[in-house]
Amino acid sequence: MSQIHRTARGGRIDRNRQLTFTFNGKRYQGHPGDTLASALLANGVAIVNRSFKYSRPRGIVAAGAEEPNAVVQLGASEAAQVPNVRATQQALYDGLVARSTNGWPNVKRDLMGLVGKLGGAFMPPGFYYKTFMAPASLWMTYEKYIRKSAGLGRSPTEADPDIYDHLHQHCEVLVIGAGPAGLAAALAAARSGARVILCDEQEEMGGSLLDSRETLAGEPAEAWATQVIEELKGLANVTLLPRTTANGYHDHHFVTLHERCTEHLADTAPRTANGARQSRARLHRVRAGQVVLATGAHERPLVYAGNDVPGNLLAGAVSTYIRRYGVVPGQQLVLSVNNDYAYRAALDWHEAGREVVAIVDARPAPEGDWVTEAKAKGIRVITGSAVIEAKGAGRVSAARVAAIDIDGFRVTGRVEELACDTVASSGGYSPVIHLASHTGARPTWNDEILGFVPGLVKGVHAAGGANGLYALGEVLASGLEIGVRAAAATGHPSSGFELPSAEVRRDGPQVALFQVPHEKPTLRAPKQFVDQQNDVTAAGIELATREGFESIEHVKRYTAMGFGTDQGKLGNINGMAIAARCLKRSIPEVGTTVFRPNYTPVTFGAIVGRHCGELFDPERYTALQQWHVEHGAAFEDVGQWKRPWYYPQARAQSGNGQRETLHEAVARECRAVRETVGILDASTLGKIDIQGADAREFLGRIYTNKWQKLDVGKCRYGLMCKDDGMVTDDGVTACLADNHFLMTTTTGGAAAILEWLELWHQTEWPELDVTFTSVTDHWATMTITGPEARKLLAEITDIDLDRDRFKFMEWRQGKVAGVPARVFRISFTGELTYEINVQANYARHVWETLFRHGEKYGLTPYGTETMHVLRAEKGFIIVGQDTDGSVTPEDLGMQWCVGYDKPFPWIGKRALSRPDTRREGRKQLVGLRPRDPKVVLEEGAQIVLDPTHAIPMPMVGHVTSSYYSPTLDAGFALAVVKGGHHKLGATVYLPMADGTTHEAEIVSTIFYDPKGERQHV
Amino acid sequence: MSKAAVFDTRTDAAIAVESPLAYSYRRSGAPTPGPHSQVTIRERAFLGHLILRGGAIVLDEAVREVLGMNLPGKPQGLVHDASGERSIQWLSPDEWLLIVPGGEEFDFENRLREALGDARFAIVNVGGGQTLLELEGPKARELLMKSVVYDVHPDHFPVGKGVTTVFAKATAILRRPSDTRWELVLRRSFADYCYRWLLDAGEEYAIGVVR
Amino acid sequence: MQRYSGFGLVKHALSHHENWQRQWRNPTPKQQYDVVIVGGGGHGLATAYYLAKVHGITNVAVIEKGWLGGGNTARNTTIVRSNYLWDEAAALYEHSMKLWEGLSQDLNYNVMFSQRGVLNLGHTLQDMRDIQRRVNANRLNGIDGEVLDAAGVQEIVPILDCSKRARYPVLGASWQPRAGVARHDAVAWGYARGADALGVDILQQTEVTGFKIRDGRVLGVHTNRGDIEARTVGCVAAGNSGVLARMAGIKLPIESHPLQALVSEPIKPVLDTVVMSNHVHGYISQSDKGDLVIGAGIDGYNGYGQRGSYPTVEHTLQAIVEMFPIFSRVRMNRQWGGIVDTCPDACPILSATPVKGLFFNCGWGTGGFKATPGSGHVFAATLAKGEAHPLAASFSIDRFHSGALIDEHGAAGVAH
Amino acid sequence: MLHIYCPYCEELREEEEFHPKGQAHIARPADPDACSDDEWGDYLFFRDNPRGIHHELWVHAVGCRKFFNVTRHTVTYEILETYKMGEQPSVTATSPADDAAARVAAEPSEASRQEGARA
């Protein structure tokens, strides 16, 4: 297939090289420098998609980010699929594969189009809300079919083969947009020495200069762009980011830039020369001092009947395709305008050697230089008129032109039908205010330029088209001035540079024209599209206003205007103007338009960066991780830590490599601890070193219990509450010296507790002499527990382990396996226990030494599950499992751990006397013994007193911890029960999902060794 | 003598030690630096790390007396002694990080405690819980830009500066001891994550690990 | 009121849609109403509707400073569910769920309530304990739900990564089949149209500037369109409740925070249920238009700016791609923020105040949208009778002084 | 995404290094046992939540670990000052240094129109 619309010469494409690509299964040719859109136009492809709601054929309208229709599915392989790629922003590469996103069986002959044609009348805005209501039971069925038509492109079904990353950028001046204003601003700022970033969304920097017919300093405008870019490239203080779109403007000048690193090369990122993976896209997280918005303006199309038939384009897009890409998107052009600047489309078309049928100008007497030039070239100019309708099915075949009365919104003259295949329109320009709008600053309507100009917060500047300036000389001057100003604001005076002289051209004033009147009233006229992607019509907006939707936000939501992937770049102002006309108000009275990030859509992967897969969240390991892995541990996630959960061993009898189940392993591990000795890696427990003359006083304030009388060498269990009286953490704290303590916290609570201690010290009690330092990672903690623990430890330590000289709840210092160690005789299992703490770099040596000596005692490693069973047998709580933020120390029956008469009103004390904490019937921690010892209750099972009660059945509590105890050979549980402390011996019921009801007796929380003798041996 | 417990947690006995990255080397390997390597990293394990807490004036005097160097009084300050082997870094208005060759820390702790006498201060040995990673090479700064939220431009991060900041989803201390070298001080339990992050982010620079 | 139906639609199409009536009037404020509702979002409009419909009180004004349904009703992620943990909250949300189930027919306005089910994933053993606890409680409270293991989850959502490779593997989930999503704007519009038809005046662009209070009793409100008398005033102003309360000299235990959400570009349907994960912090559903609707966590600092912190969005998308690796190449179209009024216990306030006749309905935090019908229904009864509806009784402001909090942080978690 | 000047580190740092900790200047009652239940509840749960100037407590969690105060506008999110613990704000909702932003917060016209409102 030949490139029928390719010009003979011109454009910034490389005609020496051919690229082959596929669209809807057909192969086409293009050139480097093409976008997918320009290549499709060059090949004469008119229909690129079907519309979302009415399934109408649609063609390319624009040449940039504002394109509503040419949204395609990209990707040659399944994993490389990219939905919703805007063809106008996709560089062409060899082998590109794209498809239309809608249309069945294909985009040219689409059966849904029939539905659209016939059904269009029955689908006004809001029609969903008015129907499909009866019968109620059928909605899900209706919806199933409604959903079938949802969506544009599709998600791949395979995981993404590509990687993405982030770069944290910091600069003094960020310039967004590298058109004339942006280049001027960047150059001015760069020459001051300020750190400058200049980004631009297009393949090439230069913006409108790349398709300009004007000259600068007597040279084609693009030459000046090249020269400035060259200078900027050479400056160390400047970072240039082409193919990089500024998508979100967040607080305090934090701007996200989305750089498409390899999307112009292939659908999957190629490897680098060294074979390394490279990012498909990169998100620059920029913190800027000052920001210059040089984002230009979007041309507004006119809204006329049939304006969505393929072959309707923006006037400026026509020029861009001709001058930049060497493509004339048709044979005969009719141009409908309200301003001078759009005349260049006709001049460019004419110069490309194709026919300009007419320029239809809404103004009665246009008189600018380009108007004169067009007339001089013999182009017919029809004044006081507009294209009121484009005719055609798959492609424009004619334009219906008539004289109109703009103020009266009427067609006033005879309709003339002009044969043509292209209608281009221009209704003026809308500054691209999206980014400024993200900051929360409201734009203001400017009657002179007929557009919103951005509201600007401190440190944000708008230059050139973004601020409503369109004449090239003015645009450059504004860029220069703002570049100097922005640099100066960061402390870098700049003398700027000498502006190149621009042509002086006289432009006549534009007139306000948005929707073009038709002979028929809007509701009866052929569809006049405002938002093509969402099939929003002028009639739809009129209907919305009739139904009482008067705010522009209501209109947008009722009609879905502006909710597409183009975010209303073309349609929003026209829609507001139409709503204003219907409501007989002015545009600013109808509302303003609030844009939210993103300016153009951003790949999830780019936002995620490398925070995915293995790097989604840190995995924290103890110093013994390698050993645990080598010994087959199954791991449990506890916060960010990976902790051994249990150590399944090969089953002795089966011999076929089968491993123990959780239940089997835990039973074995539990027995080892109760009968011989087990070992646990407890290094994850939070450890906080506390020093200072007031350390003891501080502990007394932050813990519920007393700390005044803890001697050096001793340890104490402590409970921590928040000031609402609810338990928040617990752990053992040791007195290392008079002014020196070592606190342990729960594994999950470590960081939060350290911050909690600092909070109270820094904000309430700064007078206390105390400091806190995390030593969690410094120490490795190995817990050996069980009747043989002493014998084992004695073999490898110089510490005197005599039961009377090193008692329960004491600590000693010495050497273990030749390594300096602090040993704490505390117990979370109820057995004789030593917690050995050594500097973490020695952990593996000490651990393995213990195993060498421990083998004869049956030393068994155990994980968190066994730890939980053993502690529960003793009635020891786990904060966060047996408590849930609504449990006081008293609810836990831990009055023994509450210093009611401490002199200082410690954290949590006052709350214990509030009405709700004093009341009867609070849920209290108890033990539960299932009547059937074989039953292991479900954790989370709800407890009732009357299982025959109708639903809703009153619940009195729930099971917090439940296990099978190999020691007791029975299931047992901890639970909270209303008034439970007074209900020992009572029977409760647990009705389960499968219909069975378990029966259990409320008992003490201590199931094993109630007198606590074993830990004292 | 201070009312705090001092304890030499290190031993001179010939006992095997494992650095915080021991597991990582086994799990993720350590690519050898090659001719294309634009970044290299090297772990400086088993150094002595002490946290000093207290008032700047009091500590400054003791540090000068014991170590012969000034306590950096300004935020983000990092100073080295003449040999470059010992450094003190400002962490907060009442907190400094002292890094010395492994084995010296206990002696320094004792001498500092003696010099400080009854003053209000604290010293904590954290050497087992931290490790230091050096980064060098032309792309070291860009690798850091991928990893930390702090501005590492030389204008903003001159030699002699150190900060605690966000490293990917962990926390790290980042220091600039010389024109060509950066240092990361990492917590032991996060070290493997940071190491894997650096290898992943450094792949395009052919990152190498000096061992 | 013009009744809506498929037949009516055809009739209107034949007359070129020229005869549709306004869905609600734009009335001039009267001097006096029996009840004034401050706040024209979903909750306020529902309150007015039920006041008129259930209690026959039709001399009612809804005062809205902007446009109706323009606050959080327009900015949420449209999830509706009732699987809350504590009896009090579960009863209120289930009451709401039952109203949702007949709402389109009741309002003659299709709110597109789609009961496609909600999964709350568990990634840790403690997550699973909490899920079991909640589902057991729900069952005994008459609320549907079951506990699924990872295989059961995979069956419902084949595209979810349920592999053991994940950083936080999915261990299971709670599954509420009756839960789902609804078309958020339609809820406000449906209630507005219904209330208007029953005689309620909806006063848009009308801002309350103060309360008229004498001898500890409310007598009316001052507005930018003049004073309006009413001896019963209900404030349903979500994020702006604190500002109103201050005008009445009342303090509320409420803080307003940004809550962000985002949508992808529309893609062909791939996700039929709502998937929520408190642990990795993200929730997601797919709308009938094809957008992936994604919720982010609440931002940590107070804010009325309808914008939030960018890292929150990053973390949310990390969670989504962690759960759904195939979405990595899908693109984010738009993000926004609502202002949510959060209570210390993640439960609402439906309460009388020290000012007689002045009531507040607020503090819904992230749970407001799903509660809309129930909240309006219960608050209407409270206003009509002058005392708390039984389902509202536990949600009095007093609980913050007595300590009887209803801590729903677990069930409320990230998403609501 | 805020850019916050840490008064201890003496430079602007990224929001990700900080944790917000709620309203500033909430002092714990010196004698909790003397507080009524209402007073204790007020201390625990009731906050100003202004629409406008807000004094709040932050901690430089990934940094110097110091708590400090921030005066921030809750609509524009502009940070007007940061100051150390123990210091008082120089910009308040009623201070002359404040501009139009603060008037939103103070709403004097509305306050003056209250009749018989509880203090």
Side-chain angles (χ1 to χ4, degrees), chain A residues 25-333:
Chain A
K26 272 183 87 166
R27 289 163 69 86
Y28 299 95
Q29 308 280 314
H31 297 293
D34 263 329
T35 61
L36 174 57
S38 69
L40 286 169
L41 287 172
N43 284 281
V45 177
I47 303 173
V48 294
N49 223 340
R50 285 274 166 174
S51 78
F52 178 71
K53 188 169 163 187
Y54 301 128
S55 220
R56 290 166 69 105
R58 290 285 163 79
I60 295 164
V61 169
E66 67 275 35
E67 170 61 36
N69 293 333
V71 171
V72 301
Q73 180 81 19
L74 196 79
S77 67
E78 182 55 37
Q81 292 298 310
V82 194
N84 305 347
V85 171
R86 217 181 304 281
T88 50
Q89 293 189 293
Q90 173 62 53
L92 193 69
Y93 55 81
D94 202 43
L96 182 148
V97 176
R99 307 196 71 82
S100 303
T101 56
N102 287 322
W104 186 86
N106 62 53
V107 73
K108 282 194 184 156
R109 276 179 299 280
D110 174 45
L111 289 182
M112 284 301 286
L114 211 60
V115 178
K117 243 179 217 165
L118 296 176
F122 307 106
M123 294 191 274
F127 80 97
Y128 287 121
Y129 311 134
K130 296 171 178 167
T131 182
F132 301 123
M133 280 177 285
S137 58
L138 270 185
W139 164 242
M140 292 302 288
T141 311
Y142 295 137
E143 195 188 22
K144 206 159 124 188
Y145 288 97
I146 292 169
R147 260 173 111 78
K148 280 195 194 299
S149 64
L152 299 172
R154 67 178 182 87
S155 165
T157 57
E158 294 173 13
D160 194 338
D162 276 326
I163 59 166
Y164 304 86
D165 71 0
H166 295 165
L167 215 50
H168 301 94
Q169 299 267 21
H170 304 259
C171 68
E172 284 160 321
V173 180
L174 169 64
V175 181
I176 299 168
L183 287 174
L187 185 60
R191 287 202 181 168
S192 75
R195 289 167 66 187
V196 175
I197 294 176
L198 172 64
C199 70
D200 188 272
E201 65 177 344
Q202 300 198 26
E203 294 295 312
E204 264 189 290
M205 289 191 165
S208 63
L209 296 172
L210 301 179
D211 57 44
S212 173
R213 51 186 297 113
E214 298 178 59
T215 60
L216 286 172
E219 297 285 320
E222 59 194 300
W224 183 79
T226 310
Q227 172 204 325
V228 173
I229 293 163
E230 279 311 308
E231 176 175 347
L232 293 173
K233 272 185 191 158
L235 295 174
N237 57 322
V238 178
T239 304
L240 295 181
L241 295 172
R243 282 186 210 97
T244 302
T245 310
N247 276 306
Y249 200 135
H250 303 269
D251 288 300
H252 302 179
H253 311 309
F254 181 82
V255 184
T256 53
L257 311 182
H258 179 216
E259 179 184 6
R260 297 172 301 281
C261 306
T262 68
E263 285 170 47
H264 60 297
L265 300 174
D267 57 18
T268 312
R271 298 246 165 183
T272 63
N274 300 334
R277 293 173 304 162
Q278 58 178 327
S279 299
R280 176 168 166 255
R282 171 173 286 172
L283 203 102
H284 299 262
R285 304 166 93 253
V286 183
R287 177 69 72 182
Q290 302 277 310
V291 177
V292 177
L293 302 175
T295 46
H298 286 145
E299 193 167 25
R300 269 195 308 269
L302 292 171
V303 176
Y304 47 90
N307 60 344
D308 70 324
V309 177
N312 281 287
L313 283 96
L314 287 169
V318 166
S319 286
T320 303
Y321 284 117
I322 295 171
R323 299 190 68 90
R324 184 158 169 194
Y325 299 105
V327 176
V328 198
Q331 302 290 353
Q332 303 104 14
L333 172 73

Side-chain angles (χ1 to χ4, degrees), chain A residues 80 84 121 129 133 143 147 152-153 160 162 251 285 524 547 554 597 602 604 617-618 914 953, chain C residues 17-18 23 68 105 110 114 129 140 167-168 183 268 288 307 314 328-332 335 400:
Chain A
N84 305 347
Y129 311 134
M133 280 177 285
E143 195 188 22
R147 260 173 111 78
L152 299 172
D160 194 338
D162 276 326
D251 288 300
R285 304 166 93 253
R524 291 174 182 250
E547 289 194 85
H554 273 164
V602 181
F604 282 7
D617 204 37
R914 306 173 78 198
M953 195 183 288
Chain C
H17 301 292
E18 283 166 348
Q23 296 194 6
L68 63 86
Q105 290 71 33
N110 190 350
S114 176
R129 288 183 200 107
L140 299 182
R167 171 65 186 87
Y168 295 105
R183 174 80 182 100
K268 300 276 187 273
D288 284 350
R307 308 190 293 289
E314 287 180 310
S328 171
R329 286 180 167 236
V330 175
R331 288 182 294 192
M332 167 179 157
Q335 71 171 97
F400 298 98

Side-chain angles (χ1 to χ4, degrees), chain C residues 27-108:
Chain C
T28 310
K30 292 192 266 182
Q31 277 194 343
Q32 185 275 335
Y33 291 94
D34 294 342
V35 179
V36 159
I37 313 278
V38 185
H43 288 233
L45 293 165
T47 304
Y49 174 74
Y50 292 117
L51 267 176
K53 182 164 186 236
V54 179
H55 304 281
I57 301 172
T58 57
N59 185 26
V60 174
V62 176
I63 299 181
E64 167 55 47
K65 72 173 177 168
W67 37 284
L68 63 86
N72 293 342
T73 309
R75 289 168 212 285
N76 62 82
T77 50
T78 80
I79 298 168
V80 175
R81 62 189 177 89
S82 63
N83 54 353
Y84 276 67
L85 173 63
W86 299 94
D87 296 347
E88 300 86 346
L92 186 55
Y93 283 101
E94 179 59 18
H95 179 62
S96 194
M97 176 67 86
K98 293 210 169 81
L99 290 167
W100 274 112
E101 286 174 324
L103 193 59
S104 293
Q105 290 71 33
D106 184 32
L107 295 176
N108 178 234

Side-chain angles (χ1 to χ4, degrees), chain A residues 878-939:
Chain A
I878 301 249
V879 172
Q881 178 173 345
D882 300 300
T883 70
D884 62 1
S886 69
V887 178
T888 68
E890 293 168 346
D891 297 338
L892 295 169
M894 292 173 76
Q895 285 84 347
W896 55 268
C897 198
V898 178
Y900 291 100
D901 56 353
K902 285 197 284 184
F904 189 87
W906 40 274
I907 306 298
K909 183 187 183 198
R910 171 62 183 83
L912 296 183
S913 57
R914 306 173 78 198
D916 195 68
T917 37
R918 272 201 319 264
R919 81 180 150 84
E920 293 290 305
R922 285 186 65 83
K923 288 182 184 165
Q924 295 168 325
L925 188 76
V926 295
L928 283 189
R929 196 188 288 277
R931 290 285 180 210
D932 178 351
K934 288 194 289 297
V935 165
V936 178
L937 298 172
E938 183 175 297
E939 288 174 341

